[in-house]
Amino acid sequence: MDAIELSIFSSRIESICDEMGAVLQRAAFSPNIKDRLDFSCAIFDAQGQLCAQAAHIPVHLGSMAYAMQDIVEQVDWQPGDMLALNDPYLGGTHLPDVTLVCPVYMNGRRVGFVANRAHHADIGAESPGSMPLATHLDEEGLVISPTKIMRGNQVSAEFEQIKQALRHTIESTGDFNAQISANQRGAQRLLSVVEDMGAEKYERALTHLNEYGDRLMLQLLQRIPVGVYHFEDVMDDDGLGAKDIKIKLSLTINNSEVIANFAGTTSQVAGNINCPLSVVAAAVYYVFRCLMPVNTPACFGVYRRIKIIAEHGSLINAIKPAAVAAGNVETSTRLVDVVIGALAQAVPEELPAASHGSMNNVAMGAKTEGVSWNYYETIGGGMGGGALFDGLSAVQTHMTNTLNTPIESLEMHYPLRVKRYQVRSGSGGEGKTKGGDGLIREIEFLKPAHITLLTERRRHKPWGVLGGQAGKCGENWLNETRLAAKVSVDVSVGDCLAIKTPGGGGYGV
């Protein structure tokens, strides 16, 4: 297969993921999926190795790439099956992220899988938004071990049980149906590609694609000076008393592989900032992928030279049933900072300063006067400055690239009013190139509610590099009272919640 044929093939299967995403967005019921685009779509080969993905959520996709082979091996697959799972210890990330996997068959032969992962604001936790300050996995909602929700293209009894366990059945059912539809469309499109090429030629093309991805990874490794690079950073807290929780990395680079050894990282904690190893893989894969050419295919071959080591029972390789809701969103962002910090010692001209370092999670809802509502979103901040550019302001960075919930949508769906939404001027670090500024989002409550905040960089600033200044820490306020980084509180009518997100670090002097 020559370079042109390979490029066309890669684009062809990647476009299937894009189409799956379009179906999922347009069919979904919740603002979290249809407006914020908190979902991801991918294609895998018959063994569960990544073939293609859309440019969706890095923490979703990297973790799926890492865990999918184990999922495939666990299940007796049949045509017409659809599998659902969210168990972080069996291939998921955290409970709100529900993954649906569908095998694709041609003439009785399995030729691949299509999958999508979408964030459900209601996954059955007691706390609205299903992002509680929990100490145990079961407190975070419904745990779905790999379960067939469809068999032979027919809805299973298990699927009905899952839907009935959720608080917002209509919205949840709509989002699940959108995920099913996205996979069905992806399976149709993938089958048409395989039928057009023939199964043998399709599999040979995947081999060529992985070999090409591997060559690009080798070129990157030859560009990075051989050595062992050390870096560590800390999480602010776990919300339950533990502070300055260390993530430590020794990154070994040689001409043929990467070894990311996280020995020395703090043991798992009581709060929910723990995470499974699949989230670590997502962070490491992401940083190396950012250093590769734009046309690098998103396939297994790109990542197979990366080895990850983390002690079982540590913060980043937690033991079930440790709570993990914030690990996927907050610890993942700190892992990216740590990998960037290590690599910046080797190729400082190619890595930026720390970005705002938090997804600034806001979960809220209530049941009043017979009306139940449930809302979740992440809020952007400042991007770190780089050698050739100022950091962008008011954006999501690294492990998520979701959009904000538009004010019109938020106020239409929920008893909320957005009083202020603006760039937080001056929050980015100074330097030869500046860090981007964060955001201020202030929300007034029109009905009583319960809110949970899971945020970071409220005590430790996003660092600069090569003499650049750090960005400002974030702040959380309820009326005139400053809130902790991770907190769960009740609010009354007329109360105002203000989230001031961190800026990015500056680069150089």
Side-chain angles (χ1 to χ4, degrees):
M1 180 174 275
D2 63 31
I4 294 175
E5 290 177 312
L6 187 63
S7 178
I8 292 171
F9 172 74
S10 179
S11 297
R12 193 175 181 187
I13 58 175
E14 184 179 321
S15 71
I16 297 172
C17 302
D18 289 331
E19 186 172 352
M20 290 170 63
V23 171
L24 179 49
Q25 178 192 359
R26 293 172 184 175
F29 279 33
S30 69
N32 197 57
I33 297 176
K34 68 181 180 180
D35 293 324
R36 289 187 55 247
L37 311 186
D38 199 343
F39 62 81
S40 298
C41 302
I43 293 174
F44 300 84
D45 69 14
Q47 290 72 47
Q49 295 181 351
L50 181 66
C51 302
Q53 65 187 43
H56 290 152
I57 313 298
V59 72
H60 289 178
L61 295 164
S63 54
M64 278 201 284
Y66 181 82
M68 186 65 176
Q69 286 178 267
D70 289 338
I71 297 170
V72 167
E73 292 171 0
Q74 294 172 21
V75 179
D76 176 23
W77 298 97
Q78 300 295 329
D81 284 350
M82 188 86 71
L83 188 83
L85 69 103
N86 71 350
D87 190 332
Y89 300 97
L90 293 174
T93 50
H94 66 172
L95 298 187
D97 286 342
V98 182
T99 304
L100 266 58
V101 182
C102 175
V104 180
Y105 287 83
M106 187 180 77
N107 300 325
R109 175 181 179 178
R110 194 173 75 209
V111 294
F113 293 86
V114 295
N116 68 72
R117 176 171 286 171
H119 187 111
H120 290 248
D122 170 29
I123 200 63
E126 287 297 319
S127 174
S130 290
M131 294 287 283
L133 292 179
T135 60
H136 191 284
L137 184 66
D138 289 336
E139 297 171 0
E140 298 183 311
L142 177 66
V143 181
I144 307 172
S145 299
T147 300
K148 288 186 180 180
I149 61 171
M150 296 186 71
R151 294 185 177 88
N153 293 313
Q154 299 298 315
V155 173
S156 70
E158 290 87 345
F159 186 27
E160 296 301 328
Q161 292 170 1
I162 289 171
K163 291 188 292 184
Q164 291 304 317
L166 304 180
R167 188 175 290 109
H168 301 270
T169 306
I170 294 176
E171 183 172 273
S172 297
T173 299
D175 287 347
F176 272 117
N177 289 342
Q179 288 187 264
I180 291 170
S181 298
N183 272 358
Q184 290 174 333
R185 177 59 62 86
Q188 292 170 0
R189 292 291 188 254
L190 181 58
L191 182 59
S192 70
V193 169
V194 178
E195 288 175 338
D196 183 48
M197 298 179 67
E200 289 76 16
K201 185 177 179 180
Y202 173 76
E203 290 174 355
R204 287 198 302 271
L206 290 179
T207 299
H208 287 302
L209 192 66
N210 282 316
E211 290 173 348
Y212 176 58
D214 185 54
R215 290 196 300 272
L216 291 176
M217 184 62 175
L218 279 173
Q219 290 175 10
L220 171 61
L221 294 181
Q222 290 162 9
R223 196 172 81 230
I224 301 174
V226 171
V228 181
Y229 304 96
H230 303 278
F231 197 82
E232 62 181 65
D233 205 339
V234 295
M235 304 287 290
D236 287 345
D237 62 83
D238 72 341
L240 294 174
K243 297 184 183 298
D244 302 339
I245 301 158
K246 182 169 63 177
I247 298 176
K248 186 175 181 179
L249 171 64
S250 294
L251 187 68
T252 301
I253 304 289
N254 58 46
N255 290 326
S256 62
E257 68 175 353
V258 175
I259 302 174
N261 189 338
F262 290 90
T265 296
T266 300
S267 298
Q268 66 187 58
V269 294
N272 63 1
I273 64 170
N274 307 292
C275 64
L277 199 58
S278 58
V279 170
V280 184
V284 177
Y285 291 171
Y286 163 80
V287 176
F288 280 90
R289 176 62 183 82
C290 287
L291 293 173
M292 301 176 76
V294 173
N295 64 339
T296 300
C299 63
F300 171 77
V302 173
Y303 307 122
R304 62 187 172 198
R305 294 180 182 273
I306 299 175
K307 182 179 181 181
I308 297 170
I309 302 171
E311 182 180 353
H312 197 45
S314 68
L315 178 77
I316 58 174
N317 190 6
I319 299 172
K320 192 174 185 177
V324 296
N328 181 61
V329 288
E330 296 303 282
T331 308
S332 67
T333 63
R334 191 66 71 258
L335 284 160
V336 169
D337 288 345
V338 170
V339 178
I340 288 177
L343 277 173
Q345 299 168 40
V347 282
E349 69 282 357
E350 297 193 41
L351 278 304
S355 294
H356 61 107
S358 176
M359 295 191 197
N360 303 295
N361 303 271
V362 181
M364 61 182 70
K367 186 171 183 180
T368 57
E369 301 174 8
V371 177
S372 181
W373 60 280
N374 206 66
Y375 168 64
Y376 166 77
E377 79 165 332
T378 58
I379 302 175
M383 178 187 291
L388 301 176
F389 56 86
D390 291 333
L392 297 176
S393 296
V395 293
Q396 293 287 5
T397 59
H398 299 320
M399 285 285 91
T400 184
N401 56 5
T402 54
L403 301 180
N404 66 179
T405 304
I407 293 172
E408 296 84 354
S409 177
L410 187 150
E411 294 184 345
M412 179 176 68
H413 286 92
Y414 309 112
L416 303 170
R417 178 181 295 122
V418 177
K419 295 189 67 177
R420 184 162 53 143
Y421 193 29
Q422 67 184 68
V423 173
R424 188 186 178 201
S425 299
S427 56
E430 296 291 336
K432 181 180 178 181
T433 59
K434 282 194 54 180
D437 289 327
L439 278 168
I440 301 175
R441 191 156 167 94
E442 185 174 344
I443 299 172
E444 180 183 0
F445 294 88
L446 306 183
K447 289 187 177 181
H450 184 83
I451 63 173
T452 302
L453 304 182
L454 297 173
T455 63
E456 272 287 322
R457 294 294 192 199
R458 268 52 181 175
R459 297 179 62 245
H460 296 280
K461 298 177 179 180
W463 39 263
V465 296
L466 298 179
Q469 295 181 14
K472 285 186 178 180
C473 286
E475 300 175 8
N476 304 329
W477 292 85
L478 181 61
N479 303 321
E480 303 301 318
T481 301
R482 190 161 181 169
L483 298 177
K486 298 169 186 69
V487 67
S488 188
V489 297
D490 291 317
V491 295
S492 303
V493 174
D495 283 347
C496 290
L497 173 70
I499 306 296
K500 300 181 180 181
T501 67
Y507 182 100
V509 292

